[in-house]
Amino acid sequence: MTTHPPIRRLWRDVTLFDGMDTLPEPMAVIVEGGHIVRVVPSARLADDEAATCTLQGTGGVLTPGLVDCHTHLVFGGSRADEFESRLEGVSYEEIARRGGGILSTVHATRAASEEALFHAAKPRLEALMREGVTTVEIKSGYGLSVADELKMLRVARRLGEELPVRVVTTLLGAHALPPEYKDNSDGYIDLVCREMIPAAAAEGLADAVDVFCEKIAFSVTQCERVFEAAEAHGLPIKAHAEQLSNLGGSAMAARHGALSADHIEYLDVEGVSALHEAGSVAVLLPGAFHTLRETQLPPIAALREAGVPMAIATDANPGSSPLFMPTLMLNFACTLFRLTPREALAGMTAHGAQALGLHTQQLGRIVPGAPADLCQWDVESPAELAYAVQPGRLRQRVYGGEPTHVQGQH
Ligand SMILES: O=C(O)CC[C@@H]1NC(=O)NC1=O
Ligand SMILES: [Fe+3]
């Protein structure tokens, strides 16, 4: 059987954002197989080298494929009714205390089959892909039983198997207290530690473990128990922390070497230092800040000053961030949190990858050796991606070196 050499695909005369910065002159990028093999100013690309390539695109802006490092996009049901209650002044915390909120979605998710959850999540993921996402993290957290949490993680795995996108899964069993464990939160944490984590690890369904460290969820001590169980099974950790108050969850997570602390609106200077010392990523979720009409801003200046990498993600979920549009998050990162467009784009490429522990393979970068996940945009400068929220500007999406067309993308 004859084997053909892998196609060498060339993009040239593009404005290149490499995951950290915009390069000053028109650039050429060559992809071979599933990896980037050459990044060079177009003016220095020899004709004979160009002749070995298939010209795949010219002009516009080339960025790494977007990395959405924090989503809950597998779920059953809808929370539109709560949306109305919140608009009438009922707080997110009060709705949770009434047994609504996350538990409302838990009820619908438990009732849904794996097949139904897959078909409900697929269009949400395709919406992210149509706007440039090539890597997405998907959490469980709406099952809150061993069987239902594993059901959610299997759906997430299947999405990555059936669609041209990299899916990273996270077990978030410690998301909320299920009704059968009402008044017995320590008993539920026992279930998470002794049954959920071992089962997910044994089936290879979870790439990391997450918690919700908050007054309406679990304490620092309880979350630390979950982290210890995750570590015992070789799973990296991350935390929803300092979202609605400061319990010190981020600092505890950092002490355990967390990949990231997420939300962190109420993070204090000790927490910033702890993240810096641990090399943890600050994952900022402006969609939840906006939807919950939060007023406490994350300590952006302190994080910037300390050199803590800041990632940006959709937090796509039915309650606090039903916003399935990554470029809207770039805009919110700038308008609400005052990141620069460069910081915002790095937050959804290189730093998003770092929040998933995937920076070691150069994911989220356009450098030789990096995975060939690219987006070619019909814009003049990378800053336009944060400045204007305008679906349909993605000219090409490349995943693993192959141009892809997402359902409904013209
Ligand atoms: O409201 C939901 O369904 C999820 C909310 C989401 N989960 C969490 O721990 N914090 C959040 O904002
Ligand atoms: Fe979240």
Side-chain angles (χ1 to χ4, degrees):
M1 181 183 77
T2 53
T3 54
H4 298 286
I7 296 175
R8 285 164 59 86
R9 298 181 192 273
L10 166 64
W11 284 263
R12 68 176 306 163
D13 301 324
V14 299
T15 298
L16 180 63
F17 179 83
D18 70 358
M20 294 303 280
D21 287 301
T22 300
L23 278 78
E25 62 182 300
M27 297 296 288
V29 175
I30 298 176
V31 161
E32 184 172 336
H35 288 86
I36 294 165
V37 294
R38 191 96 154 92
V39 180
V40 64
S42 290
R44 287 177 28 210
L45 181 68
D47 292 346
D48 59 352
E49 183 173 14
T52 67
C53 301
T54 299
L55 183 59
Q56 198 69 37
T58 61
V61 167
L62 198 67
T63 71
L66 300 186
V67 177
D68 192 351
C69 69
H70 182 134
T71 84
H72 308 247
L73 64 80
V74 172
F75 60 86
S78 166
R79 302 253 289 281
D81 55 335
E82 291 180 15
F83 180 66
E84 289 183 73
S85 307
R86 286 215 304 274
L87 290 171
E88 288 155 10
V90 183
S91 75
Y92 181 79
E93 289 169 288
E94 179 51 30
I95 289 171
R97 287 201 175 86
R98 292 179 186 175
I102 292 173
L103 291 186
S104 162
T105 302
V106 169
H107 179 75
T109 303
R110 285 180 166 181
S113 68
E114 197 169 311
E115 191 73 10
L117 289 175
F118 174 82
H119 289 291
K122 185 166 176 279
R124 300 172 192 141
L125 179 49
E126 287 170 335
L128 297 180
M129 292 164 65
R130 269 197 297 279
E131 287 298 302
V133 169
T134 52
T135 296
V136 63
E137 183 256 14
I138 301 177
K139 305 175 190 290
S140 65
Y142 292 118
L144 308 187
S145 70
V146 177
D148 291 303
E149 286 292 300
L150 298 189
K151 172 175 74 174
M152 291 188 69
L153 292 172
R154 286 191 198 97
V155 172
R157 281 278 190 257
R158 183 180 164 194
L159 287 163
E161 289 157 4
E162 296 196 14
L163 293 173
V165 64
R166 184 181 293 98
V167 169
V168 177
T169 62
T170 300
L171 171 65
L172 176 57
H175 194 198
L177 190 63
E180 63 271 20
Y181 279 89
K182 187 171 166 42
D183 304 326
N184 180 15
S185 61
D186 283 333
Y188 178 65
I189 292 297
D190 288 343
L191 179 75
V192 173
C193 296
R194 296 172 187 170
E195 296 186 41
M196 254 181 225
I197 291 174
E203 285 196 43
L205 288 173
D207 299 312
V209 172
D210 190 354
V211 294
F212 186 13
C213 187
E214 193 52 71
K215 289 175 191 155
I216 57 170
F218 298 98
S219 70
V220 173
T221 303
Q222 290 173 325
C223 293
E224 189 157 33
R225 283 187 53 207
V226 174
F227 288 164
E228 287 159 358
E231 287 151 7
H233 286 82
L235 292 173
I237 60 168
K238 47 183 57 242
H240 288 68
E242 274 68 69
Q243 179 181 1
L244 307 172
S245 65
N246 184 350
L247 300 185
S250 302
M252 182 275 290
R255 287 196 297 276
H256 281 266
L259 290 172
S260 69
D262 301 36
H263 285 287
I264 60 170
E265 280 86 342
Y266 289 81
L267 188 72
D268 57 18
V269 287
E270 287 77 21
V272 171
S273 302
L275 293 184
H276 171 65
E277 280 152 37
S280 304
V281 176
V283 176
L284 304 171
L285 303 170
F289 177 92
H290 162 77
T291 305
L292 299 181
R293 300 167 68 215
E294 177 56 67
T295 55
Q296 173 68 37
L297 286 167
I300 302 297
L303 290 164
R304 185 182 285 133
E305 176 68 28
V308 176
M310 294 185 278
I312 301 294
T314 61
D315 192 17
N317 76 70
S320 71
S321 190
L323 307 172
F324 301 84
M325 187 173 285
T327 48
L328 177 63
M329 295 306 125
L330 296 176
N331 178 271
F332 277 2
C334 298
T335 55
L336 298 177
F337 290 173
R338 291 288 182 266
L339 267 66
T340 66
R342 186 201 72 76
E343 288 173 326
L345 202 44
M348 226 164 198
T349 52
H351 291 160
Q354 189 171 345
L356 301 176
L358 298 177
H359 57 300
T360 50
Q361 55 188 274
Q362 300 282 23
L363 187 75
R365 297 300 309 275
I366 296 182
V367 294
D373 297 354
L374 304 169
C375 288
Q376 187 179 13
W377 304 89
D378 284 325
V379 294
E380 294 300 314
S381 78
E384 285 186 50
L385 295 175
Y387 153 71
V389 182
Q390 182 185 332
R393 296 175 294 176
L394 181 59
R395 188 189 309 172
Q396 275 197 72
R397 176 183 179 277
V398 181
Y399 174 63
E402 293 298 322
T404 67
H405 288 275
V406 180
Q407 180 74 25
Q409 186 177 36
H410 306 297

